[in-house]
């Protein structure tokens, strides 16, 4: 359990931390083969560990293990309340291992340790308790049919579900997929992102410690184009649950078509607009949300509020306040320091990508209000950046940057704001700030996005379906609908005679 600790204590814990670097198969950590890939700590630029690079054979073996467990019925036919108890214990174990999870993700991808403790770990635990709670609430139906027949509908698990997850919330994104898949009675094969391969192994270990049967939850580490592709192309995998880039999301659909038409759920990129209308109630509150909506988690968030669509009547004032408050709100530092709220970007490659976009913004004529540079630290940091004078045709307003870069676009009233907001291939999330009820509901009706916030941003709980319109994906995470996405219906038509 986590006691409040100082930066020095966290650094000491990081030095003492021991963890497996292979795969998790049939209830055990295994070393994996000689083929390895390096994980670099982005806060220091130094190598952290070498992790097993799973091959198609490793994927085959793990899928076979999951399928064996599935067919044996050891999990799917367990009494739902017993499955529930396992998942509830798992939620407790996640919380009890908060320190370890915090360190593992922090060291791999640079997330501030306090974000892990306050957001990722409790939210991951909540996924297991929420979906665990639903185990015995997955119901079929008896339909109204003629008297000579009884027709009922069963909801059954799918089989082996492959979960392919990204590096921005390694533990939490795994929990979003693994928890509902397990709650519905499936076997799971998790393929973590190669930048953050460690916390998934601990998660699978805890499932077994919680009483989950071996083989039901396996993990194969490895690179996307090899291990990821082998999993998504596998003929014995019933569904791929994916979060990642839109490019690879589309590839998942191709893999499904090239193999067994497996189900695919996708949560991909975003370019979320926040609309600030002239009549909003509290400009300082709105500015605070705008700042946190784009700079939290270093901007490495699929629903990051990266486009600020500000009514021209308040734009000057809004931007002035944003600059004043925002330029110092996020301070780069060692992610192991509880005072740090801005860690490095995940890799040098990502840092270069973000800096290239910043350069592009300058070239295309946007006005740099602050940031645009890197702090004097050894890691792959980028300072929080704000551009004003952005138009919706500029690259920084169109493409997902996945970094701490906000683009302020002036708009003239709601109608124009909605047109600009929807002028995107993405549609993950959006918000509108107004005191006018009619405008708020009009925005909810007309915004093309899966998640809409009114007078807030990034609020929600487990009941909220999370997922995108357009090229932000298909399918929903969290919520009951998500759980049902890991089931299929079976119709039983019983002839009774007259
Ligand atoms: P990002 O660009 O943010 O790293 P990706 O979409 O490339 O996001 O990665 C998300 C997940 O998809 C990771 O687990 C990664 O290993 C996996 N992945 C990447 N490329 C492929 C691929 N060609 N086939 C299957 N999985 C892949």
């Amino acid at each position: 359990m986590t006691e409040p600790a100082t930066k020095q204590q966290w650094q000491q814990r990081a030095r003492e931390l021991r963890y497996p670097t292979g795969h998790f198969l049939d209830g055990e950590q295994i070393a994996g083969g000689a083929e390895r890939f390096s994980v670099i700590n982005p806060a220091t630029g130094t190598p952290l560990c070498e992790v097993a690079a799973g091959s198609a054979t490793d994927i085959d073996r793990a899928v076979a293990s999951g399928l064996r467990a599935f067919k044996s019925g050891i999990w799917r036919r367990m009494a739902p309340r017993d499955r529930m108890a396992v998942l509830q214990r798992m939620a407790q174990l996640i919380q009890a291992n908060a320190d370890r999870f915090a360190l593992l993700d922090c060291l791999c991808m640079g997330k501030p340790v306090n974000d892990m403790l306050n957001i990722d770990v409790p939210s991951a635990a909540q996924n297991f308790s929420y979906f665990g709670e639903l185990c015995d609430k997955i119901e079929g139906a008896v339909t109204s049919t003629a008297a000579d027949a009884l027709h009922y509908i069963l909801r059954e698990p799918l089989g082996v579900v492959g979960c392919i997850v990204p590096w921005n919330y390694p533990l939490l994104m795994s929990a979003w997929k693994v928890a509902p898949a397990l709650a519905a009675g499936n076997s799971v094969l998790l393929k973590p992102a190669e930048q953050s391969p460690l916390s998934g192994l601990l998660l699978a270990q805890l499932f077994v410690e919680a009483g989950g049967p071996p083989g039901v939850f396996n993990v194969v580490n490895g690179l996307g184009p090899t291990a990821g592709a082998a999993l998504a192309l596998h003929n014995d995998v019933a569904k791929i649950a994916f979060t990642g880039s839109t490019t690879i999301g589309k590839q998942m659909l191709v893999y499904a078509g090239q193999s067994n038409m497996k189900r695919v759920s996708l949560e991909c990129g975003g370019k979320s607009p926040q609309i600030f209308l002239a009549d909003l109630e509290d400009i300082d509150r709105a500015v605070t949300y705008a700042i946190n909506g784009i700079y939290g988690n270093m901007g490495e968030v699929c629903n990051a509020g990266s486009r600020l669509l500000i009514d021209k009547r308040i734009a000057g004032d809004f931007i002035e306040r944003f600059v004043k408050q925002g330029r110092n709100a996020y301070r780069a530092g060692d992610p192991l320091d509880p005072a740090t709220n801005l860690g490095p970007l995940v890799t040098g490659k990502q840092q270069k990508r973000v800096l290239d976009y910043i350069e592009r913004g300058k070239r295309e004529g946007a006005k740099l209000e602050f940031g645009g540079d890197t702090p004097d630290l050894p890691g792959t940091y980028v300072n929080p950046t704000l551009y004003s004078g952005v138009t919706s045709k500029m690259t920084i307003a169109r493409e997902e940057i996945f970094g701490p870069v906000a683009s302020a676009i002036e708009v003239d009233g709601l109608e124009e704001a909605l047109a600009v907001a929807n002028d995107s291939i993405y549609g993950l999330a959006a918000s509108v700030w107004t005191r006018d009820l009619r405008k708020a509901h009009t925005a909810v009706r007309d915004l093309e996005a899966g998640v809409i916030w009114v007078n807030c941003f990034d609020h929600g709980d487990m009941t909220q379906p999370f997922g995108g319109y357009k090229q932000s994906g298909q399918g929903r995470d969290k919520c009951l609908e998500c759980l049902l996405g890991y089931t299929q219906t079976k119709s039983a038509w019983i002839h009774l005679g007259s």
Side-chain angles (χ1 to χ4, degrees):
M1 210 51 181
T2 309
E3 299 299 328
T6 62
K7 170 174 150 183
Q8 286 71 24
Q9 285 167 323
W10 278 109
Q11 288 171 336
Q12 179 65 20
R13 286 176 193 174
R15 280 191 292 275
E16 288 166 1
L17 188 69
R18 297 290 170 267
Y19 45 82
T21 54
H23 313 304
F24 191 84
L25 184 70
D26 284 327
E28 286 175 14
Q29 305 285 353
I30 60 167
E35 199 69 29
R36 321 287 289 182
F37 63 92
S38 303
V39 180
I40 309 287
N41 178 346
T44 59
T46 52
L48 182 69
C49 58
E50 299 278 309
V51 172
S55 62
T57 312
D58 294 312
I59 291 287
D60 258 351
R61 212 155 39 130
V63 171
S65 153
L67 196 59
R68 248 189 335 269
F70 186 75
K71 291 201 164 158
S72 78
I74 193 167
W75 179 244
R76 75 182 155 127
R77 299 218 166 112
M78 185 185 277
R81 279 201 90 76
D82 295 341
R83 273 211 316 267
M84 178 195 296
V86 172
L87 296 181
Q88 298 291 12
R89 273 197 297 277
M90 192 153 167
Q92 289 165 6
L93 285 174
I94 289 170
Q95 203 56 62
N97 282 272
D99 272 21
R100 285 164 82 197
F101 279 120
L103 286 167
L104 291 173
D105 282 356
C106 174
L107 292 172
C108 290
M109 54 69 66
K111 191 187 295 268
V113 74
N114 253 4
D115 285 3
M116 281 302 298
L117 297 177
N118 296 329
I119 302 167
D120 297 47
V121 172
S123 308
Q126 221 174 59
N127 267 268
F128 281 90
S129 61
Y130 174 83
F131 287 113
E133 186 64 42
L134 289 174
C135 281
D136 64 355
K137 293 158 193 79
I138 301 171
E139 294 184 340
V142 178
T143 67
S144 303
T145 46
D148 66 350
L150 170 65
H151 176 223
Y152 63 91
I153 300 169
L154 298 172
R155 264 196 189 274
E156 300 193 327
L158 301 168
V160 179
V161 173
C163 304
I164 300 183
V165 297
W167 46 261
N168 60 337
Y169 290 84
L171 168 65
L172 184 55
M173 290 303 103
S174 302
W176 275 22
K177 315 291 184 195
V178 171
L182 289 175
N186 298 284
S187 293
V188 165
L189 174 45
L190 172 67
K191 208 298 283 170
E194 45 271 53
Q195 296 84 352
S196 52
L198 305 179
S199 53
L201 295 170
L202 177 56
L203 194 66
Q205 174 85 49
L206 296 185
F207 176 68
V208 175
E209 284 178 25
V216 170
F217 180 4
N218 295 311
V219 180
V220 172
N221 270 309
L223 306 180
T226 46
L231 178 56
L233 280 164
H234 206 289
N235 281 318
D236 288 333
V237 170
K239 169 169 174 160
I240 289 290
F242 172 84
T243 293
S245 62
T246 289
T247 307
I248 302 299
K250 288 181 181 177
Q251 191 58 40
M252 293 295 147
L253 297 168
V254 174
Y255 290 143
Q258 286 171 338
S259 53
N260 60 343
M261 288 168 56
K262 56 177 67 64
R263 288 167 168 73
V264 177
S265 70
L266 303 171
E267 200 257 279
C268 299
K271 195 74 195 171
S272 299
Q274 289 215 62
I275 299 173
F276 301 97
L277 295 180
D279 70 341
L280 60 76
E281 187 178 359
D282 179 347
I283 196 162
D284 280 325
R285 182 168 175 272
V287 165
T288 302
Y289 273 81
I291 291 166
N292 294 333
I294 180 61
Y295 300 142
N297 206 47
M298 294 72 77
E300 295 171 325
V301 184
C302 20
N303 66 286
S306 52
R307 290 188 294 155
L308 310 177
L309 313 190
I310 313 166
D311 192 291
K312 64 180 189 184
R313 292 157 197 85
I314 57 166
D317 186 17
F318 190 100
I319 289 168
E320 206 178 301
R321 290 175 199 236
F322 190 112
V323 172
K324 204 162 146 219
Q325 210 193 115
R327 70 176 345 145
N328 293 319
Y330 282 77
R331 293 292 188 95
D334 184 347
L336 291 170
D337 182 348
T340 295
N341 60 1
L342 189 84
L345 298 186
V346 64
T347 55
K349 189 173 153 211
Q350 183 65 11
Q351 182 195 39
K352 179 175 179 318
R353 205 179 104 97
V354 172
L355 291 173
D356 284 351
Y357 274 117
I358 289 174
E359 204 37 54
R360 192 101 177 242
K362 252 184 246 170
R363 268 210 317 275
E364 292 181 10
K367 181 180 172 210
L368 182 67
E369 295 282 351
F370 62 78
D373 55 356
T374 58
D376 191 16
L377 289 168
T380 49
Y381 294 83
V382 172
N383 281 324
T385 299
L386 172 67
Y387 271 114
S388 64
V390 178
T391 69
S392 62
K393 296 287 167 267
M394 290 181 187
T395 310
I396 53 170
R398 305 200 72 76
E399 296 185 14
E400 186 180 40
I401 298 175
F402 229 59
V405 183
S407 296
I409 303 173
E410 282 190 31
V411 290
D412 186 3
L414 179 63
E415 201 178 323
E416 192 190 351
L418 291 172
V420 173
N422 290 335
D423 181 17
S424 171
I425 62 164
Y426 297 113
L428 187 52
S431 82
V432 61
W433 293 74
T434 178
R435 263 187 299 203
D436 184 326
L437 199 60
R438 188 182 56 80
K439 286 183 179 159
H441 285 298
T442 303
V444 171
R445 185 191 67 193
D446 292 347
L447 281 166
E448 296 162 1
V451 183
I452 316 282
W453 288 289
V454 177
N455 295 329
C456 65
F457 192 78
D458 222 1
H459 283 193
D461 64 18
M462 287 303 302
T463 65
Q464 173 191 45
F466 189 91
Y469 278 29
K470 303 198 275 190
Q471 292 186 39
S472 288
Q474 44 171 277
R476 296 292 178 263
D477 288 303
K478 311 199 286 181
C479 78
L480 181 62
E481 177 188 341
C482 159
L483 178 68
L484 298 182
Y486 291 92
T487 67
Q488 57 195 337
T489 55
K490 180 185 276 175
S491 150
W493 193 276
I494 297 154
H495 176 65
L496 299 176
S498 46

